[in-house]
Amino acid sequence: MDAPLLPLYMQLADRMARSIRAGTLKRGERLPSVRELAGQHGVSLSTAVQAYRWLEDARLIEARPRSGYFVAARPPRLPEPKVSRPDAASRMVELDHLGAQVMALSQDPAFVSFGAACPGPELFDQDRVRRAMARAVMRHRELLCTYPIGPGMEEARRAVARHALGLGCVLDPDEVVITNSCIEAISLCLRVVCKPGDVVALESPTYYGFLEILQSLHLRALEIPTHPRHGMSLDALQLAFETQQVKAVLTVPTLSNPLGASLPVAERRRLAAMLARHDVALIEDVLYNDLAEQEDKRRAVKSFDTTGHVMICGSFSKTIAPGLRMGWVEAGRWGRVLRQTKAVQSGAQSGVLELALADLLTQAGGGAALRQMRATIAARVDQARRLIAESFPKGTRVSDPAGGFILWLELPESLDAAQLYEACLAEQIVIAPGLMFSASPRFRHCVRLGVGGRWGPEHPQALRRIGALARTLLMNPGSDELAA
């Protein structure tokens, strides 16, 4: 595991950062001097200085001349979105082109984008990835001329199993299947446990990519009420089990997309027991677990699974190297069927890419890199929430996720987010309207903002402009005159 290899200053800074974000250390509170901090924790003065510099870079503390260090002002505590109340009935998914359009525009350098939930290249150690790729090619160049077969290179499957220990899971590498992406892993799971017309329960709102998969497989979506901080309501899910023929549950228990909610650990244990009792498959997406600020939120539901009902899916596109496009799945009691389905549907991946991923996963220092990424993202989310509080219409509600880089905004109900989306496009700004995240029009007044991509001086300015456009639309619904 990487944790013991973290520099002392990172361990110290991380403990303090969690205390600040949890409110244990209050805004404006004076912190110990460098010498006092070193004495309290038994570290050198240099280590204490480095810890404070790290916290300054994350904008969690500030140095005041001749006064010392203080906890920095936190963004205003904005009201959070309401608990969703979706229809009790399932429905077939009928999406239009909106999701594809948002993703395409998010990649266009002519636009300032908040549309995609993708981290920017500056958040990754690109040289580290390049070196791993070069080593894999040099040492195993014959794989470039060899047709890949099977569930994945043994080195990659072992590296994934080792990584899963940090999620609380003990996986057999022989049961791990490497996939082209996390989305492919989820699609495989649904193909294995469902047939057209079956009902799949999932969060509300949910990731639009999940809805696209359900639509392509002709599956019915049953949206479950979801709390913006605590995730899917298990009481509502229990009622669904009792009243409907739910074939599978598709969920993101840690930092769900788009809400950023994280299911409490006790509820994760309860969910695993519910699945076994009702003999229902859970497809668990752990894509964002490594970005959670609290360690307990990184623990997977799979870690509580004793019956093989949990199919765990993940990738490293948000934390190590998006360009490798490597995912993985361990399908529990459906493992053999899934491996057969994978072989028929898409075959194996590039062995060279898998070995590069294995190299990156087993290198020392990965934990420190993740902590730095979490700190950078947290500072950016804080900045975005502050700008939203200053610029958006009164009555706007905003999520406050404990990690990750996605914000969910609930605007005043009379404001049409689709109209706001069009107004933003006219000014070369991309947002993701709430209509993308449900099989129903329930979230017409909501918006998802991704703040993990490329980030420059134009992004805070664009956030302010989105707020101004929203205020104008609220005062003049249907108006074409959207000047600030």
Side-chain angles (χ1 to χ4, degrees), residues 324-353:
L324 291 182
R325 289 303 287 172
M326 289 282 122
W328 60 274
V329 55
E330 198 277 291
R333 58 174 56 194
W334 295 276
R336 181 182 58 82
V337 180
L338 185 137
R339 286 192 294 275
Q340 293 173 346
T341 303
K342 162 68 172 163
V344 170
Q345 178 175 298
S346 62
Q349 294 67 234
S350 164
V352 168
L353 293 181

Side-chain angles (χ1 to χ4, degrees), residues 21 54 57-58 123 371-381:
R21 293 195 178 102
W54 188 92
D57 289 342
L123 293 176
R371 288 172 190 256
Q372 183 59 57
M373 177 182 280
R374 286 195 289 264
T376 301
I377 291 170
R380 197 179 291 179
V381 168

Side-chain angles (χ1 to χ4, degrees), residues 30 56 62-70:
R30 189 181 188 281
E56 278 190 285
E62 59 188 12
R64 299 178 187 173
R66 296 183 296 278
S67 298
Y69 290 96
F70 293 80

Side-chain angles (χ1 to χ4, degrees), residues 59-244:
R59 302 182 187 178
L60 293 173
I61 68 171
E62 59 188 12
R64 299 178 187 173
R66 296 183 296 278
S67 298
Y69 290 96
F70 293 80
V71 176
R74 302 287 290 149
R77 185 169 289 278
L78 302 167
E80 66 185 6
K82 299 174 184 176
V83 177
S84 65
R85 301 293 181 192
D87 296 335
S90 65
R91 63 173 67 199
M92 298 300 292
V93 181
E94 298 179 0
L95 301 178
D96 58 18
H97 65 285
L98 183 58
Q101 183 185 61
V102 169
M103 289 306 298
L105 292 172
S106 295
Q107 303 303 315
D108 189 333
F111 286 79
V112 179
S113 178
F114 303 96
C118 302
E122 71 276 9
L123 293 176
F124 301 95
D125 187 340
Q126 297 174 43
D127 285 338
R128 179 169 170 258
V129 176
R130 177 186 57 78
R131 288 193 296 269
M133 281 291 299
R135 282 192 294 269
V137 171
M138 288 179 63
R139 296 172 183 174
H140 305 278
R141 60 176 64 89
E142 75 283 356
L143 292 177
L144 295 172
C145 303
T146 304
Y147 202 92
I149 59 174
M153 301 293 290
E154 181 180 356
E155 293 89 339
R157 290 183 282 110
R158 288 190 178 280
V160 166
R162 181 183 181 216
H163 174 81
L165 292 172
L167 308 176
C169 302
V170 179
L171 303 182
D172 181 349
D174 290 338
E175 297 299 320
V176 173
V177 176
I178 305 299
T179 63
N180 286 299
S181 63
C182 188
I183 281 292
E184 188 195 26
I186 290 167
S187 179
L188 285 167
C189 290
L190 286 168
R191 286 177 181 274
V192 165
V193 300
C194 298
K195 62 182 185 299
D198 280 346
V199 175
V200 178
L202 66 177
E203 287 120 349
S204 179
T206 191
Y207 174 49
Y208 76 93
F210 293 169
L211 296 171
E212 289 178 331
I213 297 174
L214 265 57
Q215 179 173 311
S216 69
L217 297 179
H218 306 288
L219 299 173
R220 300 183 68 86
L222 175 62
E223 299 183 33
I224 303 297
T226 304
H227 190 282
R229 275 180 292 121
H230 304 313
M232 181 186 289
S233 167
L234 297 195
D235 290 339
L237 181 62
Q238 175 64 38
L239 180 61
F241 285 159
E242 294 170 356
T243 57
Q244 304 195 44

Side-chain angles (χ1 to χ4, degrees), residues 301-317:
V301 176
K302 179 69 175 179
S303 68
F304 299 109
D305 178 29
T306 60
T307 59
H309 281 86
V310 179
M311 311 168 82
I312 184 171
C313 306
S315 90
F316 305 96
S317 62

Side-chain angles (χ1 to χ4, degrees), residues 241 246-248 273-281 307 309 333-334:
F241 285 159
V246 177
K247 196 67 176 179
M274 285 174 60
L275 298 162
R277 188 165 61 250
H278 292 278
D279 193 23
V280 174
T307 59
H309 281 86
R333 58 174 56 194
W334 295 276

